[in-house]
Amino acid sequence: MKFGYQTITWGGVVGHPGGVTSIKDLFYMTHGDTQAAIRDIASVGYQGVEVFDGNLAEFADKAEELLSVLSETNTELVSVYTGANFIYDEILDDELYKIEQAATLAKKFGASRIVLGGGAKRPDGPKADDFKKVGRGLDMAADIARKHGLESSYHPHLGTISETLDGFHQIMDSCSIGFCPDTAHLTLSGIDPVAAIDRYGDRLKHIHFKDVSKKTGNFTPLGEGDIDFKEILSAIKRANYDSWLMVELDSYEGDPKKAAEISKRYLEQLFAN
């Protein structure tokens, strides 16, 4: 397996300001220096990175600036993360347009995967057909990714329509897109990541390794929280997955590079046993 790292820790996640008025431009972004993040990640020893669609959009008209950093650090842009708000029929075309933009950028910068996360959550709870709408949208997004030569996967996320066991299963069972487990978001949603990987192992296409303290709910570098990664790794092996493990840390009070180092040491110990 190869180890990669998400650039989110360098600035945290924000929304693209254009998306306030235009859904078609509602990209995720890390409010930090993407080039500096890639250099830090590479210096720690990770071989690949994942970025948000909005951070790629920043380089759409100056591609060489990002491509040169990837080349300089011998780092692969593995995956691009975008949203999956499919429950509102009236904005479906705009949402799919945004995903088309994300897939176009991903291909342009050499990524091989696109990850679709979460999904909108209604204030009064999901309607009867919302889960099927998410599944339908995910398969439409998978078709877009396939057209661009990209693999695609769905990433359940706390605070979204997928944050319950029943909702998660309804979504996954209503579509055929690949599965990207996020070990911490599944855990915080009350979903056993081992059971999830065992159930959908034949669809495992990407993985987010993330640790969390169950007591505080705070995300931590790998090994400093309560996630049992040994059991998760066993489930991954049962699924015959042998590809990228993307480490992710949504927020960190200290130096993000230091957090990446802590997680890298933990991974080395985990795979040495």
Side-chain angles (χ1 to χ4, degrees):
M1 294 185 187
K2 294 181 285 187
F3 303 145
Y5 208 93
Q6 231 280 5
T7 61
I8 185 174
T9 323
W10 284 257
V13 62
V14 297
H16 193 283
V20 174
T21 52
S22 297
I23 298 299
K24 69 180 182 61
D25 299 317
L26 189 53
F27 295 125
Y28 283 104
M29 291 183 69
T30 292
H31 191 57
D33 187 330
T34 301
Q35 292 165 287
I38 292 171
R39 289 190 175 98
D40 281 349
I41 289 166
S43 71
V44 173
Y46 293 94
Q47 299 163 280
V49 294
E50 177 176 300
V51 303
F52 289 123
D53 48 7
N55 292 106
L56 277 193
E58 289 183 293
F59 293 94
D61 297 324
K62 47 182 180 180
E64 188 53 40
E65 290 185 18
L66 183 60
L67 291 171
S68 64
V69 171
L70 292 168
S71 176
E72 161 202 323
T73 58
N74 195 29
T75 303
E76 181 177 341
L77 175 61
V78 179
S79 44
V80 177
Y81 187 101
T82 189
N85 293 326
F86 299 125
I87 63 173
Y88 303 112
D89 293 334
E90 62 272 22
I91 67 164
L92 181 60
D93 288 346
D94 284 0
E95 185 72 4
L96 292 172
Y97 176 86
K98 181 204 71 178
I99 291 167
E100 178 81 41
Q101 291 183 82
T104 300
L105 287 167
K107 189 66 174 179
K108 177 178 182 177
F109 286 96
S112 58
R113 300 176 178 182
I114 190 165
V115 183
L116 294 111
K121 181 180 176 182
R122 298 183 192 271
D124 54 352
K127 294 185 178 180
D129 59 349
D130 278 355
F131 300 110
K132 288 184 178 179
K133 285 184 176 182
V134 175
R136 176 196 64 181
L138 288 170
D139 279 342
M140 294 171 78
D143 287 340
I144 291 172
R146 196 174 299 113
K147 181 180 70 175
H148 289 275
L150 302 168
E151 287 190 326
S152 57
S153 57
Y154 178 58
H155 175 300
H157 203 287
L158 189 69
T160 74
I161 191 172
S162 65
E163 70 176 354
T164 65
L165 180 63
D166 178 65
F168 164 61
H169 285 317
Q170 285 198 57
I171 291 169
M172 289 296 293
D173 293 343
S174 67
C175 64
S176 59
I177 196 171
F179 177 38
C180 171
D182 180 301
T183 54
H185 280 286
L186 287 171
T187 298
L188 290 175
S189 299
I191 302 167
D192 179 0
V194 172
I197 292 169
D198 281 338
R199 177 162 174 164
Y200 300 108
D202 62 332
R203 292 164 62 181
L204 199 60
K205 298 296 182 184
H206 196 56
I207 297 171
H208 277 192
F209 258 31
K210 184 185 299 174
D211 210 346
V212 66
S213 166
K214 295 179 183 177
K215 181 178 180 179
T216 65
N218 293 331
F219 299 114
T220 72
L222 300 184
E224 294 190 353
D226 299 312
I227 303 291
D228 187 343
F229 287 101
K230 289 184 180 179
E231 288 298 318
I232 291 170
L233 183 57
S234 294
I236 290 169
K237 290 179 178 178
R238 287 195 293 274
N240 295 315
Y241 180 86
D242 188 20
S243 187
W244 287 99
L245 294 181
M246 197 62 57
V247 180
E248 186 178 39
L249 179 57
D250 291 9
S251 60
Y252 189 66
E253 292 185 357
D255 179 3
K257 181 179 177 181
K258 179 66 175 178
E261 291 171 345
I262 294 170
S263 291
K264 183 64 161 52
R265 286 196 297 270
Y266 179 83
L267 283 174
E268 290 167 354
Q269 294 169 2
L270 179 66
F271 279 79
N273 296 329

